[in-house]
Amino acid sequence: MPVLRLPEPFDFELSTERFRAFGPDLANLWVDGALHRVVGRREVRIVPARGGVRAEPLDAETRPVVRKLLGAEFDLDAFYAWARRDAILRELTKELAGFRPPLAPDPFETLVTSITAQQVSLHAAFAIRNRLIERFGRRAGQAYSFPTAQRLRGAEPDELVALGFSRRKAEYVVGLADDPPPFDELAGLPDPEVKAALVARRGLGEWTADWFLARHLARPRAWPAGDLALVKAVAAFYPEAGDVRAFGERFEPFQNLTAHYLLTGLRLARP
């Protein structure tokens, strides 16, 4: 199985923890110490290796997906050097050394997943997401591909309601499939313009736009201040924080990595 080199530091167990934290994810499936993801029509199996991961198959189509999935875009060295100035982050970067926040390779999947997670627990959101994947995705090996906009375009909102979506969320997802944003154009825009383009669409608010910037585009200053879990994490580590969005300025220019380290640090600290 070919080795894909990833930037050091890199810890495979920590970087894939999110795929196990909230129950199985059929599109990013953890089985017997390996991560499975469908790329195109093929399932890629990813396991740890010295200096990176072993991925099979590994080629021009699968390599960028695996790299993104494992957070290779983040500059951890620069973040760790900067974090030494903050007592909380100095300890978190030691405890979570090599943690690369996983990124969502597909922009449509990122938005649908965010809609699914609006105002419900992540455990509930993953369960609903899995039912959507099983109904409209395609199985390849053990994992499923996430449903494409084309696959969802002909869906009726009632079909999604039957999977656990609220009526409103079902309409948002079908509307997004009928008219997806111009994702290639969005990728080239500055953060404020990406957010403005997304929140102009029905069902996509600031919370969804912030997570799109953070988890798909890997923008360093993305700070999902409206996320309840992040609010709790900031309060736990920085009781003096006050307004979370304003407090994010403290972490300039590493708001995105800070958010992920706070969230993961709090989750793993719980008994």
Side-chain angles (χ1 to χ4, degrees), residues 6-20 30 35 46-53 69-72 76 80 93-102 261 264 268:
L6 292 170
E8 292 290 343
F10 171 67
D11 185 296
F12 182 76
E13 290 295 315
L14 283 173
S15 300
T16 57
E17 180 269 341
R18 189 172 189 274
F19 301 128
R20 303 184 294 279
W30 184 265
L35 182 63
I46 307 164
V47 295
R50 184 181 296 275
V53 296
L69 194 65
L70 297 176
L76 290 191
Y80 288 178
T93 53
K94 290 177 183 177
E95 293 170 12
L96 302 176
F99 167 53
R100 291 186 167 276
Y261 270 70
T264 303
L268 295 184

Side-chain angles (χ1 to χ4, degrees), residues 70-190:
L70 297 176
E73 296 173 41
F74 290 114
D75 185 350
L76 290 191
D77 285 337
F79 174 57
Y80 288 178
W82 171 87
R84 294 190 194 109
R85 293 176 277 173
D86 184 287
I88 299 297
L89 291 175
R90 183 167 61 245
E91 291 306 309
L92 278 178
T93 53
K94 290 177 183 177
E95 293 170 12
L96 302 176
F99 167 53
R100 291 186 167 276
L103 295 168
D106 180 74
F108 179 73
E109 176 182 352
T110 308
L111 292 180
V112 173
T113 298
S114 289
I115 291 171
T116 306
Q118 290 171 2
Q119 299 178 327
V120 298
S121 73
L122 283 177
H123 286 89
F126 268 72
I128 296 168
R129 169 185 156 94
N130 279 340
R131 290 194 287 271
L132 179 75
I133 292 169
E134 202 167 21
R135 170 67 178 82
F136 291 99
R138 294 183 183 275
R139 188 169 188 174
Q142 298 185 78
Y144 287 74
S145 63
F146 192 86
T148 62
Q150 185 176 5
R151 290 275 290 174
L152 284 170
R153 195 164 292 145
E156 293 293 334
D158 284 345
E159 294 180 84
L160 273 62
V161 170
L163 301 176
F165 285 83
S166 68
R167 167 66 56 178
R168 186 169 294 178
K169 286 185 183 180
E171 292 173 355
Y172 294 161
V173 171
V174 172
L176 189 68
D178 286 341
D179 181 26
F183 291 119
D184 289 342
E185 292 180 21
L186 289 180
L189 296 177

Side-chain angles (χ1 to χ4, degrees), residues 187-220:
L189 296 177
D191 293 2
E193 292 183 32
V194 174
K195 288 184 69 171
L198 291 178
V199 300
R201 289 173 170 261
R202 185 169 180 255
L204 305 183
E206 187 173 38
W207 180 84
T208 299
D210 282 336
W211 276 124
F212 184 85
L213 288 168
R215 285 209 171 113
H216 175 64
L217 295 180
R219 297 292 174 85

